[in-house]
Amino acid sequence: MADRTWYLYMIAVRPDCQGQGRGTALIQHVEKALQASSQRVLLVETSGLPSYERTRKFYAKCGYEKEARIRDFYAAGDDKVVFRKVLNVG
């Protein structure tokens, strides 16, 4: 329903395996697959809770920009934060 725009609901790496580049490898694999088929934009979401600060920093480090915050989305006080990355222009 959108022109070459994709939404990645979730990726996860077991806590004992974090910090080893696995999350970066996962997201890069998704991006490369989408770029190869000329997809334009990838959106990802995460929680706005303080415990998800590391996740939000991860997406920023991977080149994603914070696009939106939907207050109280998951529960009262738990916002949904949406990040956006342009994959292909045009």
Side-chain angles (χ1 to χ4, degrees):
M1 296 184 2
D3 178 33
R4 297 173 291 140
T5 299
W6 288 76
Y7 196 92
L8 178 62
Y9 178 69
M10 182 185 308
I11 63 169
V13 175
R14 282 188 354 209
D16 62 321
C17 295
Q18 292 176 355
Q20 300 172 19
R22 294 176 187 202
T24 301
L26 279 171
I27 197 94
Q28 287 176 346
H29 176 77
V30 171
E31 291 170 2
K32 286 177 185 176
L34 293 172
Q35 287 169 329
S37 60
S38 299
Q39 303 307 304
R40 291 183 319 112
V41 175
L42 180 58
L43 303 172
V44 296
E45 75 175 69
T46 191
S47 171
L49 291 175
S51 59
Y52 284 82
E53 179 65 23
R54 186 174 177 192
T55 303
R56 293 188 299 276
K57 285 182 179 181
F58 166 77
Y59 287 125
K61 180 181 167 190
C62 290
Y64 289 78
E65 297 181 75
K66 188 171 15 169
E67 183 69 17
R69 177 180 288 267
I70 303 168
R71 293 173 293 177
D72 301 320
F73 181 83
Y74 298 110
D78 188 359
D79 301 348
K80 175 181 184 175
V81 181
V82 179
F83 288 83
R84 174 183 181 266
K85 186 172 187 178
V86 174
L87 303 171
N88 287 301
V89 178

